[in-house]
Amino acid sequence: MPTLRLALSQVNPTVGDIAGNADLVRSWTRQAADAGAQLVLFPELMLTGYPVEDLVFRRSFVAASRAAVERLAADLAADGLGEVPVLVGYLDADGPPQVSGDAEAGRGARNAAALLHRGVVAARYFKHHLPNYGVFDEDRYFVPGDMLTVVRIAGVDVALTICEDLWQAGGPFAAAREAGVGLVVNINGSPYELNKDDIRLPLVRRRAAEANATIAYVNMIGGQDELVFEGDSMIVTADGELLTRAPQFVEHLLVHDVELPAATEPPAAETAAGLRVVRAALDGVPPTPTGPAAVGGLIEPVADEAEVWQALVLGLRDYVNKNRFPSVVLGLSGGIDSAVVAALAVDALGPDRVVGVSLPSQHSSEHSREDAADLAKRTGLDYRVEPIQPMVDGFLANLSLSGVAVENLQARVRGVILMALSNQEGHLVLTTGNKSELAVGYSTLYGDSVGGFNPVKDVWKTLIWRLAKWRNRDAERRGETAPIPENSIGKPPSAELSPGQLDSDSLPDYDVLDPILIGYVDGDLGRDGLVESGHDPAIVDKVLRLVDTAEYKRRQSAPGTKISMKAFGRDRRLPITNRWREHG
């Protein structure tokens, strides 16, 4: 059986940076060639970044992508890398955008892959299955492909596929079996969700069995607005053996030698599983290197808290860096949410790029002020104190306010101060509201909701506590100072906007609240389903009412890293003006 040395390039592209992404392909291909690779794989839409959203409709952008892939092929050859086949995702089009007046049936923008060899595009493939659920809107943007591209490389027939092709039975993988290929490569922009890695391996095994072929699965890493990609690239044999698996959340070149069946003579013209089979063959591919076999290794999955922490750190780091913010600023209340966000920011950017501001009012407890100062000392961030009471008093001297209006005024004064520091010094303001608070509207619009990015937007309150405890244990395991004060973890949560205020004054305990919210928001359970699950009907009615009436707040909230199956925003899209209620 022939042996093919594969290089899976798990890299971090940036949307719109076509030149920079092409440079990544060139530098990582050099590393792969130096390792003796005979086929180098890059992620879905590598050249444009993923997802490109409505950039698809700009013909100038499509033209730039198409020109870039041709230029990249020539540049690789000029780099002395032309003999190494390189598969790269890019944006193509064979007709006008589907939303234009001159649209043509069956033609338009394509989510494409190009196999580059000897200075030219030797083969192309258009994604067949287009996802249109959750964060995906690919039916809006792309036209599906109707062919399976099979390329003979070093005596092995290799089928090309893209991301969603793997997630649905039939189509390209069924066609690959009928076409008799030895290897199916699958390039991905598959966003992270907690425990998705546990789903992915069984899925790859099912498709490997369906295709009766080894699968090489490569996924990008990095943050893109709300999405974060974790990598988790792998190679799985036709009988389900996991040969090698890359780490999560880091760029990585996974190089591994794979024994594959030799290609046989195909029919002159063929279709398979309803797809046209288009074949090509590459000459001059480097031979398999002699000497020890390349072994990529196996990375064991980490604990849930470690996985989520890495996702949040990477999502925040890339949002800040890719958007070229020099630093971040956030309010430090001494509570658990701001403490976790501060620790995430320091891990993502370093303490020199994080400003924490204590904004005490007359209702801020002494222990909260001390806890904020303690966190600053533990993490080394730039710590400042800006008392808000004189400013609040100035408003109250000119406005007749009471009750909740005074509470919200305090939050809005804090928001004004943070935004002023942002304007003055260039920081990105981080907001710190967790998913539980966003769900029930437990925040002040234009107050504590002020900010350009929310690292914990998709993190339930109960998970916030778990993350804090894990991060401290991890620090202690490494002999470092635990970043989060134990007082912040242990004390009852409070907004401290009125005397003796606690979250539990107006909300159920979070151990009761979060399971209801998870069922309603993530699971789309109605009232009856939640009550049947064992939740108290009166509490369910109260919680659902809070969630339903807070949609207008969520619509105005900052973006934040998605880690769950249904994040607020792109995943969960409900009308603000909406009279439907789950009745008791």
Side-chain angles (χ1 to χ4, degrees):
M1 295 176 68
T3 296
L4 201 59
R5 181 165 293 183
L6 304 178
L8 282 58
S9 305
Q10 183 174 288
V11 296
N12 187 350
T14 299
V15 167
D17 186 9
I18 294 177
N21 296 336
D23 287 343
L24 280 176
V25 173
R26 294 170 69 180
S27 63
W28 284 78
T29 298
R30 168 61 65 192
Q31 295 178 53
D34 290 346
Q38 296 168 281
L39 174 61
V40 187
L41 309 179
F42 287 90
E44 178 179 13
L45 289 179
M46 174 69 204
L47 274 187
T48 59
Y50 182 84
V52 291
E53 299 183 309
D54 282 13
L55 286 172
V56 168
F57 301 139
R58 295 192 190 175
R59 301 189 191 196
S60 59
F61 186 70
V62 176
S65 172
R66 298 185 70 190
V69 78
E70 303 284 351
R71 186 166 57 250
L72 176 60
D75 287 344
L76 287 168
D79 293 341
L81 302 170
E83 299 301 314
V84 182
V86 175
L87 185 68
V88 60
Y90 76 107
L91 174 62
D92 203 340
D94 55 5
Q98 289 296 294
V99 296
S100 63
D102 55 349
E104 304 172 28
R107 295 181 178 274
R110 304 283 193 169
N111 186 332
L115 188 65
L116 313 181
H117 188 241
R118 288 185 167 177
V120 299
V121 177
R124 301 177 198 265
Y125 171 77
F126 297 153
K127 188 175 183 177
H128 176 68
H129 289 308
L130 301 178
N132 209 56
Y133 54 85
V135 300
F136 304 106
D137 294 305
E138 294 205 7
D139 275 343
R140 170 182 170 88
Y141 299 120
F142 301 115
V143 175
D146 62 357
M147 65 180 182
L148 178 73
T149 302
V150 178
V151 184
R152 186 160 296 179
I153 302 173
V156 177
D157 279 345
V158 180
L160 312 182
T161 65
I162 301 175
C163 200
E164 186 71 13
D165 294 334
L166 180 87
W167 288 82
Q168 298 189 35
F173 282 82
R177 183 186 189 99
E178 293 184 26
V181 307
L183 174 69
V184 181
V185 296
N186 185 251
I187 64 173
N188 287 263
S190 179
Y192 170 76
E193 294 171 9
L194 178 59
N195 297 324
K196 194 173 186 179
D197 57 331
D198 297 333
I199 299 170
R200 186 176 286 125
L201 177 56
L203 176 71
V204 175
R205 283 175 166 149
R206 288 198 298 274
R207 292 296 165 264
E210 183 178 11
N212 191 32
T214 294
I215 294 178
Y217 170 100
V218 61
N219 192 24
M220 67 176 61
I221 71 121
Q224 172 57 34
D225 295 345
E226 301 99 326
L227 303 182
V228 65
F229 302 88
E230 89 269 34
D232 194 34
S233 304
M234 66 184 77
I235 301 174
V236 175
T237 66
D239 59 6
E241 181 185 359
L242 176 63
L243 297 180
T244 185
R245 191 171 193 173
Q248 294 175 289
F249 305 109
V250 293
E251 290 190 307
H252 185 80
L253 186 68
L254 189 67
V255 181
H256 195 88
D257 285 353
V258 185
E259 286 191 354
L260 298 164
T264 58
E265 281 303 310
E270 60 181 315
T271 61
L275 300 178
R276 293 183 296 114
V277 179
V278 178
R279 294 184 181 265
L282 303 187
D283 296 323
V285 175
T288 304
T290 58
V295 178
L298 288 167
I299 299 297
E300 293 298 322
V302 298
D304 287 354
E305 293 83 0
E307 185 178 294
V308 169
W309 192 271
Q310 291 178 72
L312 297 175
V313 165
L314 179 58
L316 173 58
R317 178 187 297 130
D318 274 4
Y319 190 86
V320 172
N321 289 341
K322 290 181 178 181
N323 287 293
R324 298 176 178 171
F325 287 101
S327 51
V328 297
V329 62
L330 71 152
L332 287 182
S333 68
I336 186 65
D337 296 323
S338 65
V340 166
V341 171
L344 285 167
V346 170
D347 282 0
L349 305 169
D352 294 341
R353 297 177 68 191
V354 181
V355 178
V357 186
S358 173
L359 299 156
S361 75
Q362 64 178 346
H363 302 302
S364 300
S365 62
E366 189 61 34
H367 66 76
S368 289
R369 303 183 198 200
E370 292 173 353
D371 293 341
D374 186 19
L375 179 136
K377 182 178 179 181
R378 289 166 176 267
T379 59
L381 56 74
D382 179 355
Y383 180 60
R384 308 178 191 179
V385 179
E386 296 287 349
I388 69 167
Q389 198 59 47
M391 290 171 254
V392 171
D393 291 341
F395 275 97
L396 294 178
N398 292 276
L399 287 171
S400 179
L401 301 177
S402 62
V404 173
V406 176
E407 294 182 21
N408 289 344
L409 173 62
Q410 296 169 66
R412 290 185 177 120
V413 168
R414 288 174 172 140
V416 167
I417 293 171
L418 293 175
M419 288 307 303
L421 290 172
S422 171
N423 296 154
Q424 184 70 25
E425 301 176 7
H427 315 296
L428 171 69
V429 178
L430 301 182
T431 184
T432 61
N434 60 70
K435 190 174 184 179
S436 306
E437 294 172 350
L438 288 169
V440 297
Y442 195 69
S443 65
T444 300
L445 204 57
Y446 322 122
D448 54 301
S449 65
V450 160
F453 193 77
N454 182 354
V456 295
K457 179 178 183 177
D458 199 29
V459 184
W460 299 110
K461 182 74 168 191
T462 47
L463 181 53
I464 290 280
W465 274 306
R466 286 169 51 197
L467 290 174
K469 293 172 183 177
W470 172 84
R471 182 62 182 85
N472 280 359
R473 288 196 307 270
D474 187 62
E476 291 163 359
R477 178 183 60 82
R478 291 183 284 150
E480 300 171 358
T481 300
I484 300 172
E486 286 299 323
N487 286 343
S488 295
I489 297 173
K491 65 186 175 186
S494 169
E496 293 194 331
L497 296 173
S498 62
Q501 185 180 48
L502 296 174
D503 288 10
S504 56
D505 296 339
S506 52
L507 296 176
D509 288 341
Y510 286 105
D511 286 340
V512 175
L513 176 64
D514 277 4
I516 296 173
L517 293 174
I518 291 169
Y520 190 51
V521 174
D522 289 356
D524 285 320
L525 286 178
R527 179 190 186 274
D528 292 345
L530 291 165
V531 172
E532 289 170 6
S533 299
H535 300 296
D536 182 277
I539 297 177
V540 168
D541 290 339
K542 176 181 179 179
V543 171
L544 268 53
R545 185 169 60 253
L546 291 170
V547 174
D548 291 345
T549 56
E551 188 62 37
Y552 77 101
K553 287 188 177 183
R554 288 190 292 274
R555 191 70 67 89
Q556 300 178 68
S557 63
T561 302
K562 166 184 163 65
I563 63 160
S564 73
M565 63 184 295
K566 187 167 285 189
F568 289 128
R570 292 170 54 133
D571 266 329
R572 187 178 188 269
R573 309 175 201 181
L574 291 174
I576 296 173
T577 305
N578 171 22
R579 291 188 179 180
W580 170 256
R581 295 291 182 265
E582 295 282 340
H583 294 292

